[in-house]
Amino acid sequence: MASLRFSARLPARLSSTTLTRAKSATPAPALEPREKTFQIYRWNPEVPGDKPHMDTYKVNLNECGPMMLDALIKIKNEQDPTLTFRRSCREGICGSCSMNIGGTNTLACISRIDPDTSKTVKIYPLPHMYVVKDLVPDMTHFFEQYASVQPWLQRDSDIDYGKEQLHQTVEQRKKLDGLYECILCACCSTSCPSYWWNSDKYLGPAVLLQSYRWLADSRDHKTKERLEKLADPFSVYRCHTIMNCTKTCPKGLNPGKAIAEIKKLMAKEL
């Protein structure tokens, strides 16, 4: 019983000691502002005569998160609510915030801010795309190309979905690694010179990687039909293995290798 009474008094003694220390503590010195300069591409089609230009903003890194997307959100919330960009997951999963940062196509949500305040960061929309507004590119054509490769499982026979499983061996499933992780951010396609000049006919690295994802799937039965749709001078063969796509992919994938595998399949099957 004595120990219980002691433990009941203990919090009171601790709180008294804590209160005394709090009174005698000196406030922490204020941090010196670390202002980072951001130059951001701006264009508003709703303003007559408006031409593309760069606006400059300064952000105190002491009051900002570590990623480029944090800085963009802070600028929009506190300095310029008209700044327009796409974003969603903040985890490098949705692909919405793809843009050109410091000359590299990447995702703003997983791109760290360089703490060196003497260096200015320049942010543009994805290159060689029509711009809707500010940092928002028009992805209509890109997703039309994606739909053209029919990115879904196709079988010769009907499947009773929900009752029948389509099994794969470990080896068959492993062939999909490095393919299914693509988030269609278009960083790779918009870094490709061949796609810049022939995007009306050349499908581009992202769409071709997605195409190969189904060509490599053992459960799909339409390999020949898929390849026949790609059998023209432009859809695949405008790839000249420049490999910008692989270098810039924020997910660490290798679209160049997937395109090479498609070429090998076409030589073998057609």
Side-chain angles (χ1 to χ4, degrees):
M1 187 65 96
S3 62
L4 287 174
R5 283 199 297 272
F6 175 75
S7 63
R9 293 192 204 102
L10 191 57
R13 291 176 183 174
L14 283 176
S15 60
S16 174
T17 305
T18 305
L19 185 62
T20 304
R21 287 176 180 171
K23 286 179 180 178
S24 61
T26 55
L31 292 173
E32 233 180 275
R34 294 187 301 135
E35 286 198 336
K36 181 84 173 176
T37 303
F38 294 81
Q39 289 188 345
I40 302 176
Y41 176 98
R42 304 298 307 275
W43 178 65
N44 186 354
E46 297 176 359
V47 177
D50 188 34
K51 294 183 179 180
H53 60 279
M54 302 294 284
D55 279 352
T56 301
Y57 305 91
K58 291 185 180 294
V59 174
N60 183 0
L61 297 186
N62 293 334
E63 301 171 352
C64 180
M67 301 300 179
M68 288 292 178
L69 184 59
D70 294 317
L72 289 171
I73 291 173
K74 187 173 179 65
I75 291 169
K76 184 176 178 68
N77 288 345
E78 300 177 7
Q79 298 185 43
D80 188 348
T82 67
L83 178 61
T84 306
F85 53 90
R86 290 191 181 108
R87 52 106 179 131
S88 183
C89 72
R90 299 183 66 154
E91 297 288 342
I93 295 171
C94 71
S96 299
C97 63
S98 54
M99 56 189 72
N100 185 282
I101 301 174
T104 300
N105 292 353
T106 187
L107 301 174
C109 64
I110 59 172
S111 178
R112 285 191 170 272
I113 301 172
D114 184 348
D116 186 350
T117 55
S118 67
K119 296 179 180 178
T120 299
V121 179
K122 294 185 178 181
I123 305 176
Y124 296 87
L126 291 176
H128 290 264
M129 300 278 274
Y130 290 108
V131 175
V132 177
K133 184 182 178 183
D134 294 344
L135 300 176
V136 178
D138 186 350
M139 303 286 280
T140 304
H141 179 61
F142 176 79
F143 283 112
E144 285 174 351
Q145 289 181 315
Y146 175 56
S148 74
V149 299
Q150 299 182 344
W152 57 82
L153 192 67
Q154 298 182 47
R155 305 274 293 179
D156 288 334
S157 56
D158 292 333
I159 307 168
D160 192 356
Y161 291 102
K163 293 185 179 180
E164 182 182 354
Q165 296 186 44
L166 303 177
H167 296 286
Q168 287 183 299
T169 64
V170 174
E171 291 74 20
Q172 289 170 336
R173 171 59 185 79
K174 195 173 182 180
K175 290 181 180 179
L176 304 183
D177 290 341
L179 303 173
Y180 76 90
E181 299 96 330
C182 174
I183 57 175
L184 294 170
C185 64
C187 283
C188 62
S189 291
T190 54
S191 72
C192 173
S194 295
Y195 191 73
W196 297 345
W197 312 132
N198 300 288
S199 59
D200 57 331
K201 299 176 183 177
Y202 174 49
L203 294 178
V207 172
L208 290 174
L209 181 138
Q210 288 286 338
S211 176
Y212 184 63
R213 178 256 176 274
W214 296 103
L215 288 167
D217 196 322
S218 62
R219 299 165 296 178
D220 191 274
H221 291 165
K222 300 294 183 180
T223 299
K224 188 173 182 181
E225 290 83 345
R226 292 181 185 276
L227 291 173
E228 285 173 347
K229 290 180 180 179
L230 301 175
D232 63 68
F234 280 91
S235 293
V236 177
Y237 289 105
R238 287 304 95 188
C239 171
H240 299 301
T241 58
I242 298 169
M243 302 304 284
N244 280 3
C245 54
T246 300
K247 183 178 180 181
T248 199
C249 177
K251 302 295 286 185
L253 307 182
N254 192 343
K257 181 182 177 182
I259 296 171
E261 294 295 337
I262 292 176
K263 290 177 181 177
K264 285 164 62 177
L265 275 175
M266 294 178 79
K268 179 182 176 181
E269 301 289 339
L270 298 182

